Amino acid sequence: MMKTREKFQALKKELEDLNSIQVNTCELTFYAPKKVRNKALEMDVPKQILSFYENSNGFELDWEMLSSPHPDVLGMVKILSLVEVIQDWKDVVYFEDTELDDPIRTFRPFDFFVDETCVGIYLEKDFDDSLYLYKFGSEPFRLDLDVSGYIELLIAARGFLYWQNVIKALKTERDNTEAERFRLFMPQLFPSFSFENFSSLYESLRLSKT
């Protein structure tokens, strides 16, 4: 079975071999320092997060469709380093006037792919292993995916901008602009891509099967 870093490297090769897109950034950083992993362990960071950072320490991807008819046909991924994940996110995720018992104080961004939205996880023990899509100023949306499932779908989506909203559409059975754009352009960019297969992959990876 391919390790995470090998999957990212395979994705990088696929993207760079395409003539229809331009890859601006594709960088994978290996291995979070042991000192940082030990600190995360002391903070009771979920094991799935620690496991991911045993083999990598962040991944950044930025690509765009050449001659695109739409400005948002591009890919954006920014999986943070472990030291960034475990830092205090005051004044970004929560603020001075946020209620002291609000779980959002324990929320940590994991994939900070655009300035106004990220995907992250709660360190609050009452929460499960799911990652959440968090558009600042709104309620975090449960993706029903753990870290390994998220990475699988990120790679299947080739990091397409706002692919997470496709998951939202599948979960809520309510379409959205980003999901429509994804369905339209993904097969054009990646001939082997199948939306039906992507949807089935999500169903196989989601934490709850209902």
Side-chain angles (χ1 to χ4, degrees), residues 84-116:
E84 291 175 301
V85 171
I86 65 175
Q87 72 183 10
D88 188 350
W89 284 91
K90 182 181 177 182
D91 296 329
V92 179
V93 170
Y94 73 95
F95 300 90
E96 187 72 36
D97 59 354
T98 302
E99 295 291 337
L100 293 177
D101 60 352
D102 191 328
I104 201 66
R105 284 178 172 266
T106 73
F107 186 85
R108 297 294 190 274
F110 173 69
D111 182 3
F112 212 146
F113 58 95
V114 290
D115 289 343
E116 67 276 5

Side-chain angles (χ1 to χ4, degrees), residues 14-15 17-21 63 65 156-158 160 182-198:
E14 178 189 11
L15 294 174
D17 285 347
L18 288 174
N19 296 321
S20 56
I21 68 172
W63 61 260
M65 180 181 185
R158 279 73 165 184
F160 196 101
F182 182 87
R183 282 199 302 270
L184 175 63
F185 286 104
M186 279 294 290
Q188 296 181 34
L189 290 165
F190 309 99
S192 63
F193 177 82
S194 162
F195 185 79
E196 290 73 19
N197 290 345
F198 183 83

Side-chain angles (χ1 to χ4, degrees), residues 30-48:
F30 295 129
Y31 311 115
K34 187 174 181 180
K35 181 178 179 181
V36 178
R37 284 188 278 127
N38 287 340
K39 182 179 179 181
L41 192 61
E42 293 171 3
M43 294 173 62
D44 290 326
V45 171
K47 290 182 180 179
Q48 56 162 326

Side-chain angles (χ1 to χ4, degrees), residues 18-93:
L18 288 174
N19 296 321
S20 56
I21 68 172
Q22 175 178 308
V23 179
N24 300 315
T25 305
C26 190
E27 297 179 354
L28 174 64
T29 307
F30 295 129
Y31 311 115
K34 187 174 181 180
K35 181 178 179 181
V36 178
R37 284 188 278 127
N38 287 340
K39 182 179 179 181
L41 192 61
E42 293 171 3
M43 294 173 62
D44 290 326
V45 171
K47 290 182 180 179
Q48 56 162 326
I49 293 284
L50 295 176
S51 178
F52 173 82
Y53 284 105
E54 287 176 359
N55 295 304
S56 60
N57 194 30
F59 176 67
E60 188 168 354
L61 175 64
D62 173 3
W63 61 260
E64 59 188 294
M65 180 181 185
L66 297 174
S67 304
S68 173
H70 194 286
D72 289 333
V73 182
L74 45 88
M76 294 292 290
V77 178
K78 191 174 183 180
I79 296 178
L80 303 176
S81 66
L82 182 56
V83 72
E84 291 175 301
V85 171
I86 65 175
Q87 72 183 10
D88 188 350
W89 284 91
K90 182 181 177 182
D91 296 329
V92 179
V93 170

